Amino acid sequence: ILLGSYDHVIEYNEIFRFAMVSNDMGGIYCYDRYFQFGGHVIRHNYVHSSPDGDAIYFDHDHPDITVFGNIVNLRSTGK
């Protein structure tokens, strides 16, 4: 999930088997130009089974983002 702009709610997703080749990404990837984002809520997601990625990746400083209640198990194989 690529996230930018303002006031998004990302919730109740199962995200798995991402970043299979590269490690510079996340299951939920927050990117936008400085001062053009904020007010996001990332909650109650299940992120698992990625060999190299991050669960939630902030590529720049992202003010005013609430992250809570997520479950992360990136070492799981998903089998």
Side-chain angles (χ1 to χ4, degrees), residues 18 26-30 42 45 47 54-58 67 70 72:
F18 61 93
I28 300 171
Y29 187 97
C30 297
I42 301 171
N45 297 287
V47 184
D54 296 317
I56 302 170
Y57 188 106
F58 300 105
V67 179
N70 298 285
V72 175

Side-chain angles (χ1 to χ4, degrees), residues 1 3-13 28 30 37-45 56 58 62-70:
I1 297 173
L3 178 63
S5 192
Y6 294 96
D7 300 328
H8 294 286
V9 177
I10 306 298
E11 63 185 353
Y12 301 111
N13 296 287
I28 300 171
C30 297
F37 43 73
H40 306 305
V41 177
I42 301 171
R43 63 183 173 212
H44 307 302
N45 297 287
I56 302 170
F58 300 105
H62 279 69
D64 193 27
I65 293 181
T66 303
V67 179
F68 68 95
N70 298 285

Side-chain angles (χ1 to χ4, degrees), residues 18-26 50-54:
F18 61 93
M20 302 303 286
V21 177
S22 174
N23 65 354
D24 190 23
M25 59 179 49
S50 176
D52 266 339
D54 296 317

